Structure formats: structure tokens, C-alpha cells
Amino acid sequence: MSKRRYTPDSVYVPLSLTSVTLKRLMHSVINLTEISRYQRSAPQYHGIPIEIVLTILETAYFDDRGGPDIDLLSNCTLVCKAWSLHAQKLLFRRVRLRSHSAFASFTHAVNRNSPRGRILGDAVVQMRAVLDYNQPGCLNQSSLAVAVANCPNLYELDLAQYGYVAAGKDVVGSPAQERMRRPAPSFDEHSLALLIAGPHITALNFSNWSENNQSLLQLLEVWPSLKSLSITGTSPVLSPGMTYPPFPCALEELRLNCQKEPAKEFLDWLLHRSAEEKSLRVIDLERQPSPELLDFLVEKHGETLHSLAIPSFATHEHAHAAMRCRSLRELRTESSWSSPVICRQMPETIQHLAFGLDLDTLLNPIVDLVKTRDDLQAVTVNLWRDGHRHPQFAFLQMACAYRGVDLRLTRDVRRMRLLVRGDPVVPPTYPRTQTLDSMQPAICPVFVA
């Protein structure tokens, strides 16, 4: 079993020092410290002022995959006592729990009976947990609730739930629809009570790979503080004949990636207060929505929507729905083909555009958009196949350079998603970024076991 540790924020660092440069500097310092331990003749190491160390650690916090640089931070915890706790706090900003043994190690580390345990528990702001009832020694619901209760500053919970299948009947690589027919238990009253008494979470990402379509409804009752909600896998269902109290949350962000489109009745219940308070700012649909679903969402929330993302705006119905959102600051699609009229009708408020590019993409409308929208800050392009050979690609590059627009290029759609999706805190400007400041409270962690 391995434990890893993490830390917080601010001091001036010249912009010319990139995170890569800072990582190299930090590794050099670590190496010099190790050498000085074993060479008696080496000059005594007096250390770097802790404020500078903190700034370097925070600047170098993220790795190329958008996660914490665990190796760097773990090494920093071993340099000296002055660095250790700060690096551990950074490691504990994000926590990942997949098994009961990981839970046991984590709860030992954040034991609130010790000053260090309270510090590390307070540092946790994001947690990813997996309830997989097929795995021996899996994390269970009550352990999850205890872990959450030990993190008073937690604001985001990313929870995946997998159903159970009898021993010997599991088929590796079985289709998603078959995996989702597996049963999973609902949350028991004790676990729900612990969750209710715990931190007021504002962001919930729930991936449900079981046939239990009531689990999400249970969790939604726990946190009336939610502002960001992501639903993946099994679509939640309102049981017929039951009367549900109005959902109290005014959501600011909704992300859907369900195997089957959620019923309009559920979305109407879920977003009722959001529509009343006009709070919804971000809609991210990871599967191509039906024209009816997109029209339903835009009709109720398009007036105040800042960010809209769907796989493709190729059809007239999808393009027309986007054109009705007159306050858009960000429009995202991964497809290389979109209706040209969507760029011509883009509002003046647009700050970020993301799309896919291949040889068949119509680039003229996009180049014209770059030339005419003064608020545009960035364009993110995923190059499909021979997209870099597009005859008008150079014109896009020149237009962005001339207008001072950041042109961000990727060849991997997964990398593109990392670039455009920040932390679940609605930003004042786009594109979204992933920084320690955006990770909400003034604390930070990562623990892996």
C-alpha cells in the first residue's frame, strides 16, 4: 500500500518561468539536497525561502494529463521538514478512493484527533470514489460517507457506481448496456445521514453503471448546495405515482452523458428552480442530443447560457438552437463539420470557440468570426486526420495572430477535452482553465492508495 501527499498559494513568479522550467528547478534542488546528505565535504544547504518553494510547487502542480504531478510532490515531501507538510497538503487536494484498504489508509492520514490529520483533512477539496461491488475488498457506502465527513472543505465529489454480478457470470468486455443491467444497492439511511451531516458539496459527478436508477435521486436530496451536476451512464427516473418535492438547487452547470436521454419530466423537475432564478450558465451534452431535447433546454435556459457544448452542430435544428443563445461566451463541438450559419450569427459576447478540423471543414466562416469578434480570447482546434493540410488553415493562423487570439491545437480529442474543461466552478471568462485558484476554497490535496 502506498501513500502519497500534497499543498497551497501566492507569490510573484516571472511569467517567463514555465511550469516545465520550474519542475526542472525543483528536481535540481531535490538532487542537491540528496547529494549534501551523503557528501560530508559538500557545502551546507541552507534552503530556499518557503514562499518561493510554495510558488514553485503550485505553479508545477499539474502534469501533462491535467492531474497533480504526484511524483514531484511526493519527492518534495521528503526533502526537509519545512517542505513536507506544504507538499502533503497539495497532494491531498484531490483524493482517489477505490477500495476499503485505500479508505483505511486515508482515514488514518486525516484522523481528526491529531493536528496533522486535521490539516490534511481540511486540505481535501476534490474526491473521486468508486463503488464497485464486483471487486473484493471494495469501498462500501458507509466508508464513503465517513471519508466525506472527514473532509469539511470538500466541494466536489466524483462518484462511480458499478452493479454486482454473480461469481463466474461476469463477461470481460461485455457491452455497456449489459453491464448497466446489474443491480446495485440503494444508499442506506445511516450512510445518507453521515453525508447530510458532512460538508456542503457544490459539485457532484455521478457515473452510474448499474440498473439502480434511484441512487442519484437519493444523493440529490443530500446536498441542496449543488451548483454543478454531471450525470453519466444510467438515466435517472422519477418513479410514476410518487410525488417528489421540488428540487431546491439552482444549478449553474449541467453535464449529461447518459446511455438514454433523460426524460423531459426529470429535467423539468431537476431544472425547475434553475429556470426560475435563471442560474444555468453551462450545458455540456457529451452525446448528440435529439433536436427536441436541445430545443427544450435552450427554450428554458438559452437566455442566460454562457457555454454550450454538443458533439455536432451539423444539422439546421442544432445550429438554430445555438443561435438562440444570445449571451454565449463559449461554443464547443468536437465535430469537423458545423452549419456555417452558426458562426455568422455568433453573438458579440463570444470568447472561446472549439471545433474539429479536417480537409472538408468550412473554415471561411470561422476565419471571419475571428476577424470580427473583439471579445474572442481563444480558438481550440482538434486536428482530425489531415486537418493541418487544410488549404485555409494558414489563414486561420494568421487571423488569430493578428487579432491576438490564442490558437490552441491538439491531435487527440482527449487532450482537447482536458484543455476546454476546467474545474466545476463557473468562470467569469472563457476558455476555462484548471488552476489551483479555480479549485475553490483556499486549500489543496491528492492521496492515492
Side-chain angles (χ1 to χ4, degrees), residues 1-5 88 92 95 97 99-122 124 127 139 143 146-151 447 449:
M1 184 183 303
S2 61
K3 295 182 181 179
R4 301 181 181 177
R5 316 170 184 178
Q88 287 182 49
F92 274 79
V95 175
L97 301 175
S99 65
H100 187 76
S101 60
F103 160 76
S105 300
F106 174 70
T107 51
H108 176 75
V110 299
N111 187 336
R112 302 196 71 79
N113 291 325
S114 70
R116 194 180 195 88
R118 288 193 295 272
I119 290 172
L120 296 181
D122 290 348
V124 181
M127 178 183 292
L139 182 71
S143 297
V146 170
V148 169
N150 276 304
C151 307
F447 169 96

Side-chain angles (χ1 to χ4, degrees), residues 289-301:
S290 65
E292 294 77 19
L293 174 61
L294 187 59
D295 183 73
F296 171 81
L297 293 171
V298 169
E299 177 68 28
K300 291 182 176 292
H301 307 280

Side-chain angles (χ1 to χ4, degrees), residues 318-373:
H318 292 96
H320 180 69
M323 290 159 51
R324 291 158 57 194
C325 304
R326 302 313 300 165
S327 299
L328 275 186
R329 299 178 186 178
E330 177 182 65
L331 186 72
R332 294 193 280 112
T333 181
E334 297 171 359
S335 171
S336 59
W337 177 261
S338 294
S339 174
V341 71
I342 196 172
C343 287
R344 299 190 183 111
Q345 299 296 325
M346 196 71 65
E348 296 292 333
T349 55
I350 195 70
Q351 298 173 348
H352 178 224
L353 179 68
F355 63 96
L357 176 66
D358 63 17
L359 288 174
D360 297 323
T361 303
L362 288 176
L363 266 184
N364 268 337
I366 297 173
V367 173
D368 290 341
L369 183 145
V370 172
K371 292 179 179 179
T372 58
R373 298 302 189 273

Side-chain angles (χ1 to χ4, degrees), residues 40 66 193:
R40 293 182 179 179

Side-chain angles (χ1 to χ4, degrees), residues 32-33 35-37 39-46:
L32 286 174
T33 305
I35 291 172
S36 67
R37 288 177 179 173
Q39 294 183 357
R40 293 182 179 179
S41 61
Q44 185 178 0
Y45 174 66
H46 294 288

